[in-house]
Amino acid sequence: MRAPTSSTPMGSRKLPPQAALLPMSPAAADPSMTGPPSDAGSWDDAELHRLRDALDHVAHAGLARLTGGLSPAAIVDAYMDWAAHLAISPGKQVELATKGVRKWARLAEFASHCAVDGGRCEPCIEPLPQDRRFAETEWWRWPFNVVQQSFLLQQQWWDNATTDVDGVTRQHQAVVEFVTRQVLDMASPSNFIATNPVVQRRILETGGQNLVQGFRHFLDDWERIVRSRPPAGTEAFRPGRNVAVTPGQVIYRNGLIELIQYVPTTGKVRPQPILIVPAWIMKYYILDLSPENSLVRYLTEQGFTVFIMSWKNPTVGDRDLGLDDYRRLGIMAALDAVNAVVPDQNVHAVGYCLGGTLLSIAAAAMARDGDNRLASLSLLAAQADFREAGELTLFINESQLHFLEDLMRSQGFLDTRQMAGAFQLLRSNDLIWSRLVRHYLMGERTPLNDIMAWNADATRMPYRMHAEYLRQLFLNNDLAEGRFDVDGRPIAISDIRAPIFAVGTERDHVAPWRSAFKIHLLADTDVTFLLATGGHNAGIVAGRNRTGGSFQVLTRSSVGHYLDPDTWTKIAPRFEGSWWPEWSEWLRLHSGELVAPPEMGAPERGYPVLCDAPGTYVLQT
């Protein structure tokens, strides 16, 4: 396969100071010696360089397996920056000392009032709205109310200590704040039997059987991890059985994707088909979950011919697949197949998460080259500008990327558990600690729904592709700044002329909506932006029967003026319910009149039906 053009050579590194400890050739030790070494056993510079690379690679890869892929050097660098600037900031020190004394005084006053009032009094600090650790009534009885109030005050003090220190770089401050928050979450009194009254009540109610059951859960989870089996409860959600059950057929397969065409459910369909590009980090069926949550099924019921790509789960043999391979063998190959099944019609292209980023790259390259096959572009929780890409960017720097590249180089891919751990840290209270308390201390299993089961069905990512993705997009922001090359020439989102429908979600930790909103700054075409309630997954999988959800939507024409995100939220009208009907109506307005549905596949053009949906790639582990 042809390797994509990369603006940043991979593997080019400066010689680290540790290399000075290795044996050196005479020429290296004495620059005046220009001829070959007289000692045949000495190393030349090339050999020394290879040895250094090999030693560093082995050391970094081994350490990365212990740290989950996080570079200790990157974290130490951030804390050194913070500590050094705090040490020379007497004003900040006085402020922290004053706040510390005030908090202890508030806690002492709270404790004394509790003693006088029989353990019940007004709290001196309230938990954050999203913090449900201390919601049970037991936490407001003495002495546990003092324990949790003390913890919350300390948490607030550390938030003050790790922010607003003059001179600390923005990224280092964010890293220190994030890591400190993880440590505090780990030390929360809710995580320990001795300081958790809810767990203690449960022990009394069950005679300690909750701990016995919790230990069984622990052994079961440990066995599943050792044997690389999916988490408990996922057995109830199997692709092709009760998720990913929308009728369809695989009409194309190559070494990277399977393309599924879905059976029409209406007598007539819109002439322009829909091609969905899911993220390759997870299985495609996030968009075809249970029938009531299936976006694919909903679109077919609205009279659209729907195709979706199912990515292969890469193995070590796919280590050299790059971003351009994903564009060519993925989107472009799928587009050719769709055009064969539905000839002479433009295509509504839809990209979710990373799939939306790749679709933006492909669409920009097509626009540059005069390829006008796209009728519209829909980007669901997707980013093209990564300068404000949320907490996932905290550790995206040279130190972290070199460390992660060594890990992926040794494996050939980024493992599913390593990536899942990074996402769980973004919401450690909900996804790690509260779950551990519930499973192992309370002895209860959290019932899984279809989204949770899908979330446990992750995929690997090839070494080369993920390294290019992190370096060129996250670190260098090449796509947004006009430096991303396709076929040796740069592309720009501003070349796209097809109308764009972009969706962001209010509580997205993966692709923050303000980052997705930047499509307004990059595109020179009509942009309809919709902001939905919910998170990265639940906000997108918003079935038509959804209750409690809402969305805002507003269109800016190609000649309209820019609105900043805060102004946009003030003037964009809000509607109740699922955003799917709004998007379906937008697609209808950009489509032609109804026609007879196409045949399944196009055997005469080289696209025969290969098997029924969900295909074979989605079943790979």
Side-chain angles (χ1 to χ4, degrees):
M1 296 181 182
R2 177 177 56 79
T5 303
S6 174
S7 60
T8 304
M10 295 174 57
S12 59
R13 305 184 182 179
K14 295 181 179 179
L15 193 65
Q18 293 87 337
L21 302 177
L22 298 173
M24 302 179 65
S25 68
D30 185 359
S32 65
M33 295 179 63
T34 57
S38 57
D39 185 356
S42 299
W43 296 333
D44 60 22
D45 287 346
E47 291 172 330
L48 184 60
H49 183 83
R50 286 194 296 270
L51 176 62
R52 185 226 47 194
D53 252 8
L55 291 176
D56 286 352
H57 163 63
V58 171
H60 294 166
L63 185 57
R65 290 187 179 93
L66 297 177
T67 64
L70 296 179
S71 169
I75 298 176
V76 170
D77 187 27
Y79 270 92
M80 289 294 290
D81 186 16
W82 167 76
H85 284 90
L86 182 60
I88 60 173
S89 302
K92 181 69 173 179
Q93 295 173 27
V94 170
E95 178 188 52
L96 291 176
T98 303
K99 288 187 175 183
V101 171
R102 288 176 179 173
K103 292 182 190 304
W104 279 111
R106 286 165 59 189
L107 182 64
E109 182 180 10
F110 173 79
S112 62
H113 280 304
C114 287
V116 173
D117 298 337
R120 296 181 180 275
C121 58
E122 289 297 317
C124 56
I125 182 173
E126 293 283 355
L128 295 173
Q130 69 272 19
D131 188 352
R132 305 293 300 168
R133 289 174 294 186
F134 310 118
E136 299 288 341
T137 56
E138 285 85 353
W139 282 107
W140 296 100
R141 297 171 184 165
W142 189 90
F144 300 104
N145 53 0
V146 177
V147 171
Q148 56 101 339
Q149 289 287 284
S150 173
F151 173 78
L152 291 175
L153 287 169
Q154 290 184 60
Q155 184 176 257
Q156 187 183 65
W157 185 89
W158 275 107
D159 180 70
N160 294 328
T162 56
T163 58
D164 196 26
V165 179
D166 292 340
V168 180
T169 67
R170 179 183 298 181
Q171 188 192 38
H172 284 166
Q173 174 178 294
V175 169
V176 170
E177 182 184 7
F178 178 81
V179 173
T180 303
R181 187 168 71 248
Q182 303 308 311
V183 174
L184 288 170
D185 287 344
M186 181 173 59
S188 169
S190 60
N191 298 337
F192 305 97
I193 296 176
T195 52
N196 189 324
V198 181
V199 173
Q200 294 176 13
R201 181 197 66 192
R202 183 69 172 166
I203 292 173
L204 293 176
E205 290 174 347
T206 66
Q209 287 301 305
N210 59 305
L211 298 181
V212 175
Q213 188 62 41
F215 186 64
R216 290 173 181 165
H217 292 163
F218 171 78
L219 293 178
D220 180 53
D221 290 344
W222 181 257
E223 181 185 13
R224 289 172 180 272
I225 292 173
V226 170
R227 297 187 178 185
S228 298
R229 294 171 53 202
T234 56
E235 298 85 358
F237 300 93
R238 293 298 187 198
R241 190 172 68 185
N242 44 18
V243 292
V245 295
T246 303
Q249 295 173 324
V250 175
I251 65 164
Y252 174 70
R253 179 187 297 124
N254 62 25
L256 191 58
I257 68 162
E258 288 182 333
L259 183 66
I260 301 172
Q261 178 183 355
Y262 289 95
V263 176
T265 59
T266 55
K268 292 189 175 182
V269 298
R270 298 293 169 183
Q272 292 83 10
I274 293 176
L275 171 62
I276 301 177
V277 184
W280 55 82
I281 190 175
M282 303 292 285
K283 302 291 181 68
Y284 83 88
Y285 64 91
I286 178 63
L287 302 176
D288 185 24
L289 287 169
S290 306
E292 63 274 12
N293 282 342
S294 172
L295 180 59
V296 167
R297 182 181 292 265
Y298 175 78
L299 289 172
T300 61
E301 291 172 351
Q302 302 307 304
F304 292 101
T305 301
V306 181
F307 298 80
I308 196 169
M309 294 162 48
S310 176
W311 297 99
K312 176 187 176 182
N313 196 356
T315 64
V316 66
D318 301 308
R319 62 182 300 130
D320 292 325
L321 286 174
L323 263 179
D324 201 60
D325 294 312
Y326 271 67
R327 180 188 67 88
R328 292 185 303 103
L329 298 175
I331 293 177
M332 302 313 295
L335 192 58
D336 290 341
V338 172
N339 289 148
V341 177
V342 189
D344 305 320
Q345 293 292 341
N346 289 345
V347 177
H348 294 300
V350 183
Y352 174 49
C353 189
L354 302 183
T357 302
L358 187 65
L359 179 59
S360 300
I361 293 172
M366 293 171 66
R368 180 200 64 187
D369 298 337
D371 186 340
N372 300 315
R373 287 182 287 172
L374 298 185
S376 71
L377 205 63
S378 295
L379 305 175
L380 313 182
Q383 303 170 95
D385 187 314
F386 289 83
R387 283 297 177 222
E388 296 179 281
E391 290 185 326
L392 280 178
T393 62
L394 291 181
F395 303 99
I396 303 300
N397 51 40
E398 284 293 342
S399 172
Q400 178 60 44
L401 287 191
H402 277 302
F403 199 69
L404 192 59
E405 284 169 359
D406 277 327
L407 173 63
M408 294 190 296
R409 176 182 161 192
S410 67
Q411 300 175 160
F413 50 77
L414 186 65
D415 189 56
T416 57
R417 283 179 289 185
Q418 292 157 346
M419 179 53 66
F423 285 115
Q424 288 175 342
L425 283 176
L426 299 183
R427 296 173 55 206
S428 60
N429 271 344
D430 297 330
L431 300 181
I432 299 178
W433 303 115
S434 64
R435 185 171 297 179
L436 293 181
V437 170
R438 190 177 304 112
H439 289 187
Y440 303 150
L441 299 185
M442 298 293 289
E444 303 170 353
R445 278 291 193 195
T446 304
L448 296 187
N449 57 31
D450 50 7
I451 294 183
M452 295 167 67
W454 164 85
N455 197 52
D457 193 10
T459 59
R460 296 173 289 272
M461 287 183 286
Y463 158 54
R464 180 173 185 171
M465 182 280 299
H466 197 53
E468 290 175 348
Y469 178 82
L470 292 177
R471 187 171 293 280
Q472 293 182 251
L473 298 179
F474 265 94
L475 183 62
N476 296 335
N477 205 28
D478 286 343
L479 178 59
E481 298 177 10
R483 294 186 300 271
F484 193 93
D485 286 357
V486 173
D487 293 333
R489 293 181 294 153
I491 59 172
I493 302 295
S494 58
D495 287 340
I496 298 173
R497 292 295 175 263
I500 295 175
F501 192 100
V503 179
T505 58
E506 291 180 351
R507 299 192 303 275
D508 197 329
H509 295 271
V510 180
W513 77 266
R514 291 173 184 271
S515 181
F517 189 86
K518 288 188 174 184
I519 191 66
H520 289 92
L521 295 171
L522 302 176
D524 288 338
T525 186
D526 293 352
V527 174
T528 298
F529 189 83
L530 184 146
L531 179 60
T533 54
H536 185 70
N537 296 324
I540 298 299
V541 184
R544 78 190 94 181
N545 298 323
R546 178 182 183 180
T547 59
S550 64
F551 63 91
Q552 294 177 268
V553 63
L554 197 64
T555 297
R556 187 211 68 183
S557 71
S558 59
V559 295
H561 297 293
Y562 172 72
L563 290 175
D564 65 274
D566 292 330
T567 303
W568 188 94
T569 56
K570 292 177 181 178
I571 68 173
R574 181 175 291 276
F575 303 92
E576 298 300 318
S578 170
W579 60 268
W580 288 4
E582 180 75 20
W583 180 45
S584 175
E585 177 64 14
W586 184 87
L587 290 171
R588 185 192 67 79
L589 294 175
H590 291 85
S591 303
E593 297 299 321
L594 296 172
V595 298
E599 299 294 327
M600 298 298 291
E604 71 285 356
R605 298 190 180 189
Y607 297 97
V609 172
L610 301 177
C611 64
D612 289 335
T616 60
Y617 281 177
V618 73
L619 303 178
Q620 294 174 335
T621 58

